[in-house]
Amino acid sequence: MLLTDSTHDPALTSWVESANAPGHDFPIQNLPLARLRPASGDEPWRAGVAIGDHVLDLKLALEQSPWGDGIEALLEPLAAGDAAAFMALGARAWKLVREALSMALAEGSEQAPFLELCLLEPHRLEYSLPCRIGDYTDFYTGIHHARTVGALFRPDSPLLPNYPWVPIGYHGRASSVVVEGAAVRRPCGQSKGEASEPVFGPSRRLDYELELGLWIGAGNELGERVDMAAAEARLFGLTPLNDWSARDIQAWEYQPLGPFLSKSFATSVSPWIVTFDALAPFRRPSRRPEGEPQPLPYLDSVRNRESGAIDMHVEAWLQTARMKKTREPPVRLSHANVLEAAYWTPAQLVAHHTSNGCNLQVGDLLGTGTLSGPQPGQGGSLLELSGGGKVPLQLPGGERRTFLEDGDTVTIKAYCEAPGAVRIGLGSVSGTIEAAR
Ligand code: CA
């Protein structure tokens, strides 16, 4: 099945010059959406599309430019800043709007003279979450993460027997999902070290988790299962995600019901959503390694086997307070390719989540789980990189880290590149640790 169309054509260029620079996150082949407004004043929220160094304001664009048949009605929820209403329109509407935006922003477009007036400077904008998140579920698809972390807790059986069969997940906290740039206060909690009794206080083992977030567009009715054939059409797009984690609190609280307060204090996402349509050139077969069990039939489909996986690079970067003061650039701590890191595909997560009749709703957020590469040094968290806090990481300026310190800024980035396709980026999400109080 051909996944790509004219919107992915590598020869396509934009009249917004900066979008044509090689290596830019936001070429015309990408077209990610965010909810935003001018930072000064109290103008209403609206959606925007990132194009090169600019953002096309879809409120202005709807007012200022003519659009094709039926497109204006589809753009209205975006112009009104109601991303959830747009996501609820479903996959056909998303594709039509992508095609319309691609034509409008393409070199030679007759809409260019109108839309030139609707371009905003990103640094003059403020961003919000795209919509109210009803529920947030965090999965555990990173098999190398599961193995490494499992080995720290259970050297004899790192990977539990259910791992190759069940996409493991837990229900996270939606209310504390925050958008790019929001400070993250070091949480307080109960932990138990070597002493005979636990103590309450600021976490001393604060960590990041390198993840992707999947946004649910069209949901399903309670009691209705979404099969593999329909699963991917429920997914609107992707964002870099940081699942901040307090390891000392986690280690003490996690048995027997899983993580709770060690995770629910903050989860950071980028405001930009890169749609699944934009990822078409980077879809790859989903294949189980030799000797691994095949997915049960409800988690299997021809399409998933042929193109369920995504060839995407994910990275975590650290800039300490001292590095900021001395103007040293951030240092990359983690990197992985999702193809290698993720044991389950996005469609499998949706099919599994709804397999008991659970209703996903528009704006629900699914985390992939920490994405670690197979090699030592490719851990997607400090827990892995420091061997459970035993081996400090040496930073270029002479500092050392086992876990995060106050003033540290962690940035999660993601991008796709492949021969014959224009590279696209997912932007980034940063958060800075503030002292506990
Ligand atoms: Ca996680």
Side-chain angles (χ1 to χ4, degrees):
M1 195 170 99
L2 190 64
L3 299 175
T4 53
D5 57 34
S6 59
T7 66
H8 308 99
D9 183 352
L12 195 63
T13 55
S14 174
W15 52 264
V16 181
E17 271 303 315
S18 58
N20 305 327
H24 204 295
D25 270 0
F26 305 132
I28 191 169
Q29 289 81 0
N30 193 344
L31 305 174
L33 293 163
R35 187 168 182 267
L36 47 86
R37 65 180 177 186
S40 55
D42 20 85
E43 289 193 51
W45 292 98
R46 75 283 314 265
V49 180
I51 179 77
D53 292 339
H54 290 83
V55 172
L56 180 69
D57 179 329
L58 291 179
K59 180 176 187 294
L60 293 179
L62 184 59
E63 290 164 3
Q64 301 292 326
S65 172
W67 292 86
D69 270 354
I71 297 300
E72 282 172 16
L74 300 179
L75 285 176
E76 266 166 24
L78 292 171
D82 190 349
F86 176 70
M87 287 152 75
L89 294 176
R92 172 99 187 112
W94 310 337
K95 205 171 175 63
L96 287 172
V97 166
R98 173 175 169 83
E99 285 165 3
L101 290 171
S102 176
M103 284 195 282
L105 289 164
E107 189 74 61
S109 162
E110 288 175 5
Q111 289 171 268
F114 306 102
L115 295 179
E116 267 174 352
L117 310 170
C118 311
L119 292 178
L120 307 174
E121 306 282 336
H123 65 273
R124 296 212 174 123
L125 300 174
E126 64 175 317
Y127 301 87
S128 81
L129 289 170
C131 54
R132 184 181 170 277
I133 301 169
D135 278 293
Y136 162 49
T137 302
D138 199 19
F139 282 94
Y140 202 50
T141 70
I143 187 166
H144 307 296
H145 170 77
R147 264 205 193 100
T148 307
V149 172
L152 292 172
F153 291 97
R154 299 175 303 275
D156 298 336
S157 61
L159 214 53
L160 291 169
N162 59 2
Y163 192 87
W165 299 97
V166 187
I168 302 293
Y170 71 97
H171 289 291
R173 183 76 194 169
S175 65
S176 53
V177 178
V178 294
V179 80
E180 153 66 21
V184 173
R185 187 164 299 284
R186 179 179 299 275
C188 288
Q190 198 181 124
S191 60
K192 185 178 169 303
E194 298 304 313
S196 60
E197 289 190 352
V199 293
F200 182 87
S203 169
R204 285 174 300 161
R205 290 163 71 95
L206 186 53
D207 201 354
Y208 64 85
E209 287 191 342
L210 171 57
E211 300 198 22
L212 293 169
L214 311 171
W215 291 101
I216 297 295
N220 58 299
E221 295 294 322
L222 182 61
E224 176 203 352
R225 281 160 47 180
V226 179
D227 64 23
M228 282 294 286
E232 196 161 293
R234 309 297 174 128
L235 286 162
F236 179 65
L238 272 159
T239 182
L241 182 148
N242 187 343
D243 178 27
W244 304 96
S245 300
R247 301 300 181 193
D248 41 359
I249 301 172
Q250 184 180 358
W252 176 231
E253 76 172 5
Y254 89 105
Q255 286 178 316
L257 289 184
F260 178 37
L261 300 177
S262 55
K263 302 275 192 174
S264 60
F265 58 94
T267 304
S268 297
V269 292
S270 156
W272 292 108
I273 305 180
V274 169
T275 64
F276 272 78
D277 283 331
L279 298 171
F282 310 102
R283 304 310 299 268
R284 297 291 178 266
S286 169
R287 295 217 181 91
R288 282 288 145 83
E290 284 288 314
E292 296 277 336
Q294 292 306 305
L296 291 176
Y298 82 100
L299 294 173
D300 193 16
S301 74
V302 172
R303 184 176 169 187
N304 192 63
R305 271 178 260 150
E306 287 177 352
S307 60
I310 306 171
D311 185 356
M312 180 183 289
H313 300 269
V314 288
E315 300 179 340
W317 294 70
L318 172 71
Q319 194 179 30
T320 67
R322 197 197 64 81
M323 289 161 78
K324 282 177 241 178
K325 204 177 281 175
T326 55
R327 296 180 183 275
E328 280 172 73
V331 58
R332 192 176 74 172
L333 296 186
S334 309
H335 68 283
N337 190 298
V338 181
L339 274 183
E340 285 186 322
Y343 195 78
W344 301 100
T345 65
Q348 287 172 323
L349 301 185
V350 171
H352 183 66
H353 206 313
T354 61
S355 62
N356 66 346
C358 171
N359 50 331
L360 294 176
Q361 295 178 302
V362 60
D364 280 358
L365 180 64
L366 312 183
T368 55
T370 309
L371 298 166
S372 304
Q375 306 301 329
Q378 289 190 332
S381 65
L382 285 169
L383 179 70
E384 292 156 85
L385 293 173
S386 70
K390 292 195 179 75
V391 187
L393 263 72
Q394 197 69 48
L395 303 180
E399 290 177 283
R400 283 146 58 103
R401 283 290 179 282
T402 45
F403 292 99
L404 296 171
E405 296 190 5
D406 295 344
D408 283 356
T409 298
V410 178
T411 302
I412 307 284
K413 297 180 189 180
Y415 62 92
C416 297
E417 57 187 12
V422 173
R423 176 198 185 277
I424 63 170
L426 277 76
S428 62
V429 55
S430 295
T432 301
I433 306 300
E434 285 187 349
R437 82 173 164 207

